[in-house]
Structures are given as structure tokens and as C-alpha cells.
Amino acid sequence: MESIYNKSFDELVSYFESIGQKKFKATQVFEWLYIKRVKFFDEMSNIKKDIIDRLKEDYVIEDISLEKVERDIEVNKYLFTLNDGNHIESVLMRHDYGNSICISSQVGCNMGCRFCESGRLKKVRDLDAYEIVQQILMIEDDIKERITHVVVMGIGEPFDNYDNVMRFVKIINENKGIGIGSRHITISTCGLIPGIKKFMEESGQVNLAISLHAPNDEIRNKIMPISKVYKIDDLLRVIREYIDRTNRRVTFEYILLDGVNDMDECAVELGKILKGMNCYVNLIPYNETENISFKRTKNHQIMKFYDILKKKNINVTIRKEFGGKVDAACGQLRAKKKGEL
Ligand code: SAH
């Protein structure tokens, strides 16, 4: 049976209409689920027994379960078990501007980026919207605080699970429920052009981040197999169109890998291809993982790369490193768990 957490507010309105009930029941249910956080339909005390019975016939209130938490000062790493026994991860990062979580969109990933731990497990399946929503609810429950920012940057490729991810966005964005503002939600893709095109039409104010990681196809092909399908020129053309159409700034993520994509000339070339674009570049110091041989760029070279981009008038930041201690790089906790099993 379907989880009620899969339903957007509008879909619940239609549901109640279809069973001959008033629309405002949807508001009540959303409040019970997302404000009061009940775990059983029977707790929805302002809803009549016959409607509760009908809800129970049509939906379940289905949880995912918390398997393990690793805690550090500014970051918590969560391992969840889904109802079919699969594992996913989320990371909570405490910033001065609020609590941000990085959530998973799939079990495994088919994109095969060479540096990424999650990609070592092929996609097992897409997550349902409720399984993405639950990552937020469970973490809020754990820290007894609100999550203010969400990045879809954990395990999986969100645009390879487009419909469920967009449904998730709609659910958490709903003011009658969790109410996380669109501008506080970011979706990160390795560059699936069809997904970006759809997103351009229907994303509203949700932020888009692109995992670029190289200034040309030659280097990109070595580390991101997807670039053989979607060439960098085509990708950048679509991004320019996205910026023109939506007036939104795009973030380019650029993971720095020693001797692979971190040379001065890469920074120069990156500056060239992004010239004049309304974007910023987030340089990511690589989080080394024992199964993969790429090395983290030395600090002086990270700074040099940064300076070259700055001089070319590119907005650039270096990602704050949180996760080293708690295996926060994508897929590391789940990889460990699998080792134990
Ligand atoms: N598939 C999406 C979202 C998941 S990857 C995408 O590609 O954007 C999210 C980000 O995590 C990517 O930018 C990736 O480069 C980064 N990442 C993966 N492994 C990492 C590691 N070991 N250290 C630092 N960042 C990593």
C-alpha cells in the first residue's frame, strides 16, 4: 500500500474530493503528519472515525528506520534502513545560517563517477518521495530542531529519479506542512540534460547545482562517464538557457583531484568557459576514501586554483570541510555497513 507521505497537498485535496469529503481534510492531515508528527492515523483526533478507516484502507504511515548516527560537532551522519532492507545515508551540517541536510535520492547510483563512493554500488532502485521526505522528518526528530536547508546531493542522481524528487520538493515546500522555502532547496546533478530542461520549466525558485568537475570533455570523460553522453558544450549551452529563462544563478561544483583536474591550466580554462555566466563555482577538496585511489589536492594548489578563478572575475568559494571524521563523503557510511554485513 502507498505511503501517505508520498502525497502532495494538492493530491490529498483531490483524494478527499474523490471520496466525497471536504478539501480542508487535506489541511488537517498535513498538520497531523508534518506539524504534529503523529505516527498513527488513529491519533488524528479531529478526523471522524469513518474517514480514518478509509485512510487506513488506502494508505500507510510508513517510516524508514534509523540504523546508525555518527555525531560530530557540526555534522551528523545518518544511516537509514528502508523497509526492503536497503540502506541510504543523509548528512546534517550545522551552519551559522541554519541546519542543512544532504539527502539521498536513490539506492546506489548508475552514473559511475570514478571518484565517488556511492557510484561503486550500481543503482538498486529509485527512492519513493516518502523515503526522501522521511530523511528530513527522522533527522528533525533526532535533533529536535528544524531543518532549514536541503541539498539533494547524497547518494543517487536526482534527475535519474526526476518525478519522485520533484514530488518530494513539492511536499516539503508546502506551507501547510514542513514549509521549507524553494530558495533553501538545491538539487545537484551530474549534468543530465533532459532533466535540466524539464527542471527549467517547472522548478520555480529551487536552486540548481551542476557537478562539473572538469573544464573540458577530455578530462571529464576520464572521471565522469556521463560526459560521453552529454558533452560539456551542450551542457553549458543548456545551463546558459536555464539562467536566461529563470534568472537564477547556477552553482558549479568542482571536486579537486590531485594531478587530474587541479592544474593551473584547468583553472584558466574553467574561467574561460564560465566567463560572463551568472554562476558561482564551489571548489570541493576531495574527501579521500580507502577504496578509490584519487588524492586530495594540496592546500596551496587549492588556493592557487581559487586565485586564478578570482582573478578572472568568477565567483568562487571553497567548500568548508565537514565530514572527514565521520565518513561524510558520499556513500562512505553505507559502504562500511555493507562491509560489516
Ligand atoms: N548525482 C548528483 C548528486 C550526488 S553527488 C551529482 O552528481 O551532483 C554530490 C556531490 O558529492 C558531487 O558534486 C560529488 O562530486 C561530491 N562527492 C562525491 N564523492 C566525494 C568525495 N569523496 N569527496 C568530496 N566530494 C564528493
Side-chain angles (χ1 to χ4, degrees):
M1 226 187 315
E2 190 180 7
S3 166
I4 191 143
Y5 291 105
N6 260 348
K7 290 284 159 213
S8 68
F9 180 74
D10 294 346
E11 285 169 336
L12 272 188
V13 167
S14 311
Y15 166 75
F16 280 113
E17 283 178 334
S18 77
I19 61 169
Q21 295 297 330
K22 297 255 160 42
K23 284 188 201 171
F24 77 88
K25 289 276 171 291
T27 306
Q28 292 176 325
V29 167
F30 248 59
E31 278 172 6
W32 284 115
L33 293 176
Y34 297 108
I35 312 284
K36 297 173 192 146
R37 307 279 165 101
V38 297
K39 301 270 194 248
F40 302 97
F41 287 117
D42 288 324
E43 292 176 85
M44 300 181 176
S45 55
N46 58 359
I47 297 178
K48 283 207 202 80
K49 173 95 174 53
D50 54 330
I51 305 176
I52 295 279
D53 288 343
R54 180 65 199 258
L55 278 168
K56 283 191 205 162
E57 274 170 34
D58 295 334
Y59 298 107
V60 286
I61 296 189
E62 204 170 12
D63 280 343
I64 61 177
S65 57
L66 181 55
E67 179 79 32
K68 186 174 169 188
V69 192
E70 290 187 5
R71 295 174 203 277
D72 211 326
I73 300 163
E74 294 170 307
V75 53
N76 286 356
K77 178 98 189 192
Y78 294 85
L79 181 70
F80 295 106
T81 305
L82 307 176
N83 292 316
D84 62 0
N86 279 305
H87 296 292
I88 53 163
E89 292 175 35
S90 326
V91 181
L92 166 78
M93 289 157 288
R94 294 174 186 277
H95 296 277
D96 42 13
Y97 58 77
N99 291 323
S100 166
I101 68 165
C102 174
I103 54 172
S104 296
S105 57
Q106 296 178 317
V107 178
C109 182
N110 274 347
M111 300 302 120
C113 299
R114 305 266 182 260
F115 47 81
C116 181
E117 183 76 46
S118 347
R120 299 191 333 119
L121 174 75
K122 285 273 156 268
K123 179 172 98 174
V124 176
R125 67 172 174 87
D126 289 330
L127 293 187
D128 270 340
Y130 87 88
E131 293 168 312
I132 317 180
V133 172
Q134 282 285 334
Q135 295 173 57
I136 297 182
L137 298 179
M138 302 280 289
I139 292 177
E140 286 194 339
D141 200 33
D142 178 59
I143 61 173
K144 310 279 181 265
E145 284 172 43
R146 299 302 309 271
I147 304 282
T148 56
H149 294 70
V150 174
V151 295
V152 187
M153 221 181 257
I155 300 172
E157 166 49 48
F159 285 172
D160 185 38
N161 184 18
Y162 187 90
D163 291 344
N164 289 332
V165 167
M166 292 309 278
R167 177 180 285 251
F168 152 78
V169 166
K170 218 166 159 195
I171 294 169
I172 63 163
N173 191 221
E174 174 55 54
N175 267 330
K176 297 188 176 70
I178 308 178
I180 298 178
S182 307
R183 285 168 179 267
H184 287 190
I185 303 171
T186 302
I187 297 184
S188 176
T189 175
C190 63
L192 301 189
I193 290 179
I196 298 170
K197 284 185 171 161
K198 264 204 247 174
F199 187 75
M200 179 152 60
E201 306 298 333
E202 50 194 57
S203 62
Q205 305 287 314
V206 175
N207 303 303
L208 178 65
I210 307 287
S211 291
L212 193 63
H213 306 322
N216 57 48
D217 282 328
E218 197 192 333
I219 300 178
R220 209 161 183 260
N221 283 343
K222 286 188 198 150
I223 52 179
M224 299 180 76
I226 194 66
S227 80
K228 294 188 180 123
V229 184
Y230 302 112
K231 305 268 172 271
I232 206 163
D233 284 350
D234 297 329
L235 179 59
L236 292 178
R237 196 173 313 119
V238 174
I239 300 299
R240 284 205 177 83
E241 192 186 335
Y242 168 87
I243 295 169
D244 278 353
R245 292 268 290 278
T246 61
N247 254 320
R248 307 280 304 150
R249 179 196 274 194
V250 165
T251 301
F252 289 104
E253 291 152 89
Y254 196 105
I255 200 166
L256 286 163
L257 304 167
D258 188 34
V260 177
N261 64 354
D262 67 345
M263 294 75 92
D264 296 358
E265 60 268 26
C266 293
V268 172
E269 196 175 352
L270 187 63
K272 238 183 242 162
I273 62 171
L274 300 184
K275 196 171 168 212
M277 224 190 250
N278 183 16
C279 68
Y280 82 90
V281 174
N282 195 4
L283 297 176
I284 310 176
Y286 184 55
N287 199 335
E288 292 179 14
T289 126
E290 59 185 88
N291 302 307
I292 300 171
S293 60
F294 290 116
K295 292 279 170 269
R296 183 186 186 285
T297 296
K298 305 277 179 302
N299 283 339
H300 68 86
Q301 185 59 24
I302 295 179
M303 282 321 294
K304 207 162 169 215
F305 203 96
Y306 172 90
D307 285 340
I308 293 172
L309 287 171
K310 262 261 135 53
K311 282 210 187 82
K312 290 190 163 289
N313 284 323
I314 304 286
N315 297 309
V316 53
T317 50
I318 300 174
R319 180 178 292 171
K320 182 173 171 190
E321 286 177 275
F322 273 117
K325 270 198 215 129
V326 294
D327 295 324
C330 242
Q332 288 184 347
L333 201 64
R334 202 218 58 236
K336 241 177 27 187
K337 173 81 193 165
K338 270 190 91 74
E340 281 168 28
L341 290 172

